[in-house]
Amino acid sequence: MEDLFAARSQMALSLGFHIIFACIGMVMPFFMATSHYQYLKTGNPLYKDLTKAWSKGVAIFFVTGAVSGTMLSFELGLLWPKFMLHAGPIFGMPFSLEGTAFFIEAIALGFFLYGWGKFKPWFHWFTGVVVGISGLASGILVVAANGWMNSPTGFDFVNGEYLNIDPIQALFNDAWFSQSLHMTLAAFTATGFAVAGIHAYMMLKEKNIEFHRKAFRIALVFGGIAALLQPISGDISAKDIAVRQPAKLAAMEAHFETEKGASLIIGGIPDEEAKEVNYALKIPGALSFLAHGDFESEVIGLDQFPEENHPPVLVTHFAFQIMVGLGMVLMGLGLLFFFSNWKKKEWMKKDWFLRLFALATPLGFIAVEAGWTVTEVGRQPWIIYEILRTEDAVSPIPGIAYSFYLFTAIYVSLALVVTFLLIRQIKAVPSSLKGSGEMSSKSVISNS
């Protein structure tokens, strides 16, 4: 295996695992705090059980996210030393601040997990809120660092040297807002639908139905709202990329020729040699409108860039189509949930309704993985956009393939352990239901 390919594969593997842990770690504390708030307001012990159950999940993903994130920081230095040599002093600030947010999150999580009966109720609830806010801040700061790679600012690049470094400008680069907004909504969407799907499955199994119904509603309120807002952030991102990274937009849409009134391509198989897209549905002028707000505006194609600077079109295009397609599916499910909650509450007790959401459990995270593929592969061949090429930043030390094999084994083992812990946690019977026997679906429905 070639060293460059091995290094890129190792980073892809690491990011692919870490992004799932990070999304859940960012979002689950808000679910936990919401159920805790409901318990304090209503006194319903089911909400207390739900809060404790979710807090254990938060702890699991906090630990695994910390481990996988630490491994990623080491990989940046080991695999891409030239990148870190130059980039470290420039975008080190968001990583430093992310570390601060991480420590605050760790302290607040400790207070929350062990604060039952030891703190005043509302202060205890507040510590859970701090877990969510600090986790969200941590994620945004990391995304800001990635945004700098897509829109490098805060320095002057003169004769191969990085001069006049301004870390504040690097932190608030041109890409940080659009990427952070899009990633935050994606995290809430993916986690919300995944958690709701698991609880929908448990309701289908007739396990503690009222407990799981409350969890299902909380998760879908967050996930559904985020899914409905996601197209707005997608539009902001598309217009931003059209200006800053036109080659990435061209690869996303398999847009080979610069033209006015450019068509939006849905589906299709790009042929990079023939510079065309086969079997695609085209909407005339729609790409121009999405990119520039005008149906007749010019959209730059890949023909304006040297061949050696073209991103991999096939991978970027497919990943973009998957992300958008699954996002639309989840938006539709979000609308279905809110409509049923408004007009058709009886649907939430129907098997067909629960099966829809159970089947949707992995869709959000597949969309997140596809979105990160668009972000990273669409930037190629640059590791720092238009400044440093990926092939020039890779470590000169041979044998990177063995590192890839080792890290693959570690991440697979970590995923298996997390899966085992989560399955055991999901199957756990809430404490308020112990001693009264298993609640049947009939008894719950008759009492609700």
Side-chain angles (χ1 to χ4, degrees):
M1 182 184 293
E2 185 185 29
D3 285 341
L4 177 60
F5 180 75
R8 292 185 63 188
S9 299
Q10 183 172 325
M11 288 300 298
L13 174 80
S14 302
L15 283 169
F17 274 97
H18 179 69
I19 195 63
I20 295 176
F21 301 147
C23 284
I24 298 173
M26 287 167 60
V27 174
M28 278 289 290
F30 291 99
F31 298 176
M32 176 185 77
T34 301
S35 61
H36 193 190
Y37 176 84
Q38 292 290 352
Y39 168 64
L40 293 176
K41 294 292 288 186
T42 67
N44 188 335
L46 280 179
Y47 284 117
K48 182 178 181 181
D49 290 326
L50 180 56
T51 302
K52 287 189 173 183
W54 275 345
S55 68
K56 292 176 182 177
V58 169
I60 291 170
F61 282 102
F62 176 81
V63 172
T64 52
V67 171
S68 59
T70 301
M71 291 170 67
L72 267 171
S73 64
F74 281 114
E75 288 177 62
L76 283 173
L78 291 172
L79 300 177
W80 315 101
K82 189 172 181 180
F83 166 73
M84 291 304 295
L85 173 66
H86 299 297
I90 304 171
F91 79 157
M93 175 172 284
F95 279 119
S96 300
L97 294 175
E98 189 274 337
T100 303
F102 171 80
F103 287 126
I104 294 172
E105 183 182 6
I107 293 168
L109 181 59
F111 282 169
F112 188 83
L113 292 174
Y114 298 102
W116 292 97
K118 298 179 178 66
F119 296 135
K120 290 184 178 181
W122 285 107
F123 176 77
H124 185 213
W125 170 80
F126 176 71
T127 63
V129 175
V130 172
V131 174
I133 293 174
S134 55
L136 188 61
S138 179
I140 290 174
L141 287 164
V142 170
V143 173
N146 181 267
W148 179 84
M149 297 167 67
N150 287 293
S151 181
T153 55
F155 65 96
D156 294 325
F157 188 63
V158 181
N159 297 325
E161 295 186 10
Y162 298 76
L163 307 174
N164 303 321
I165 294 172
D166 183 350
I168 299 295
Q169 187 180 1
L171 172 62
F172 296 106
N173 57 78
D174 293 339
W176 85 269
F177 175 75
S178 59
Q179 282 196 208
S180 296
L181 177 64
H182 199 61
M183 185 65 238
T184 299
L185 291 174
F188 273 94
T189 301
T191 306
F193 278 91
V195 172
I198 291 170
H199 289 288
Y201 174 77
M202 296 305 291
M203 283 190 278
L204 286 169
K205 300 286 286 184
E206 299 187 353
K207 302 288 188 181
N208 305 324
I209 291 180
E210 193 59 27
F211 170 86
H212 291 294
R213 182 172 289 128
K214 292 184 184 303
F216 177 81
R217 287 175 182 272
I218 291 172
L220 268 187
V221 167
F222 281 97
I225 291 173
L228 294 176
L229 292 176
Q230 191 67 289
I232 299 174
S233 76
D235 182 65
I236 293 172
S237 296
K239 286 180 168 56
D240 176 56
I241 290 172
V243 175
R244 287 189 303 99
Q245 293 179 296
K248 178 184 285 188
L249 179 68
M252 289 160 55
E253 288 292 339
H255 184 61
F256 290 101
E257 301 292 333
T258 300
E259 61 179 331
K260 295 183 177 180
S263 298
L264 179 69
I265 294 176
I266 299 176
I269 303 175
D271 185 337
E272 296 185 57
E273 292 187 3
K275 311 296 183 188
E276 61 183 16
V277 185
N278 301 312
Y279 317 111
L281 173 65
K282 297 184 178 182
I283 304 176
L287 180 58
S288 291
F289 179 77
L290 290 174
H292 301 293
D294 179 2
F295 285 100
E296 295 300 323
S297 65
E298 183 178 78
V299 179
I300 297 173
L302 289 169
D303 59 328
Q304 299 296 306
F305 304 92
E307 287 274 353
E308 63 270 18
N309 290 345
H310 286 192
V313 177
L314 187 67
V315 174
T316 308
H317 178 70
F318 280 168
F320 179 67
Q321 296 290 309
I322 291 170
M323 178 188 69
V324 173
L326 293 181
M328 296 299 292
V329 170
L330 294 177
M331 186 175 69
L333 288 174
L335 287 171
L336 177 65
F337 166 72
F338 288 119
F339 177 76
S340 66
N341 199 44
W342 177 41
K343 288 288 189 180
K344 297 286 185 179
K345 286 184 169 49
E346 66 274 13
W347 285 1
M348 295 196 188
K349 299 175 184 177
K350 303 292 186 182
D351 284 358
W352 66 266
F353 184 86
L354 296 175
R355 284 196 183 98
L356 275 178
F357 287 93
L359 290 172
T361 300
L363 298 187
F365 285 113
I366 295 173
V368 167
E369 298 285 7
W372 270 104
T373 299
V374 172
T375 300
E376 297 303 295
V377 176
R379 189 180 62 245
Q380 300 305 314
W382 308 99
I383 191 169
I384 304 176
Y385 187 61
E386 294 188 333
I387 297 292
L388 179 64
R389 299 176 74 89
T390 306
E391 62 185 1
D392 295 330
V394 71
S395 173
I397 301 174
I400 296 177
Y402 298 105
S403 174
F404 168 65
Y405 300 142
L406 175 62
F407 275 78
T408 300
I410 292 172
Y411 277 109
V412 170
S413 301
L414 191 61
L416 291 174
V417 170
V418 171
T419 302
F420 168 76
L421 291 173
L422 289 178
I423 290 175
R424 189 176 70 172
Q425 181 61 32
I426 291 167
K427 290 182 177 179
V429 179
S431 59
S432 66
L433 302 180
K434 292 180 180 178
S436 60
E438 183 68 29
M439 297 181 70
S440 68
S441 59
K442 292 181 180 179
S443 66
V444 169
I445 292 173
S446 64
N447 291 331
S448 55

